[in-house]
Amino acid sequence: MKIILLKDVKKIGKKYDIKDVADGYALNSLIPNNIAVPATHSYLKLVEAKKKQSALMKEDFKKAFEFAVSKLPEGKLHVSGKVNEKGHLFAGIHEDQIIEEFKKETGVILCSEHFSLEKPLKELGEHIIDLKVEGETYKLKIVVKPL
């Protein structure tokens, strides 16, 4: 039976893929659990429209992100944290703090999926982190300064 996936399914496909699966699997598992719909003509039209809309939204977000980074002062995001007398941060700078500061500075909302931050930033100074936005990797400079 031909189906259209409404969600990513391991070993079958990604959202909006058209797949051929066993009738029993489609009728007893995928369709009742709203994971897939039958690949009828009307659903195919709907899926094509959703794919176009999704692609446009991704492209718009990518452009907004690039514009936001270009508007940061000197291309750097400034984040503050409490430090001890030796100049070390009491608490590391985590993704959520970077997301909040980026939102305040630019108005663009990032999510944790965009980050590849292995561990929190614990030192003052300039750090470069990688962000993955719509398949492309960008370098973002973050300046950690004392409160």
Side-chain angles (χ1 to χ4, degrees):
M1 170 179 227
K2 280 196 179 292
I3 57 158
I4 302 168
L5 294 173
L6 300 176
K7 299 177 182 177
D8 292 350
V9 180
K10 252 185 190 173
K11 297 183 181 178
I12 295 179
K14 295 191 178 270
K15 187 175 183 177
Y16 300 136
D17 281 354
I18 299 168
K19 295 291 178 176
D20 232 343
V21 296
D23 291 354
Y25 184 50
L27 295 172
N28 296 324
S29 181
L30 297 177
I31 294 172
N33 291 319
N34 293 323
I35 296 171
V37 291
T40 62
H41 184 67
S42 59
Y43 278 125
L44 289 171
K45 282 185 177 180
L46 180 67
V47 165
E48 286 303 315
K50 292 255 187 206
K51 279 184 179 179
K52 286 179 185 175
Q53 181 184 17
S54 178
L56 288 173
M57 287 176 61
K58 286 179 180 181
E59 189 62 33
D60 287 347
F61 181 78
K62 185 177 164 185
K63 286 178 183 176
F65 172 77
E66 289 172 350
F67 180 75
V69 170
S70 71
K71 292 299 176 187
L72 286 172
E74 301 170 12
K76 299 175 185 175
L77 180 66
H78 295 271
V79 181
S80 301
K82 289 185 179 181
V83 295
N84 62 15
E85 58 277 350
K86 291 182 180 179
H88 296 284
L89 292 169
F90 283 118
I93 306 293
H94 293 271
E95 292 172 0
D96 55 344
Q97 192 173 351
I98 296 170
I99 290 169
E100 188 63 35
E101 200 63 38
F102 194 82
K103 180 182 171 189
K104 268 197 269 182
E105 291 288 323
T106 65
V108 175
I109 301 170
L110 297 174
C111 64
S112 59
E113 296 169 357
H114 294 123
F115 286 86
S116 59
L117 193 62
E118 295 171 11
K119 56 186 178 179
L121 306 176
K122 293 199 171 228
E123 299 291 322
L124 294 177
E126 192 171 301
H127 304 272
I128 298 175
I129 62 169
D130 290 333
L131 293 174
K132 289 192 182 222
V133 177
E134 306 309 332
E136 290 189 38
T137 303
Y138 295 91
K139 303 265 188 220
L140 179 65
K141 293 178 185 174
I142 298 178
V143 177
V144 180
K145 55 186 181 177
L147 264 175

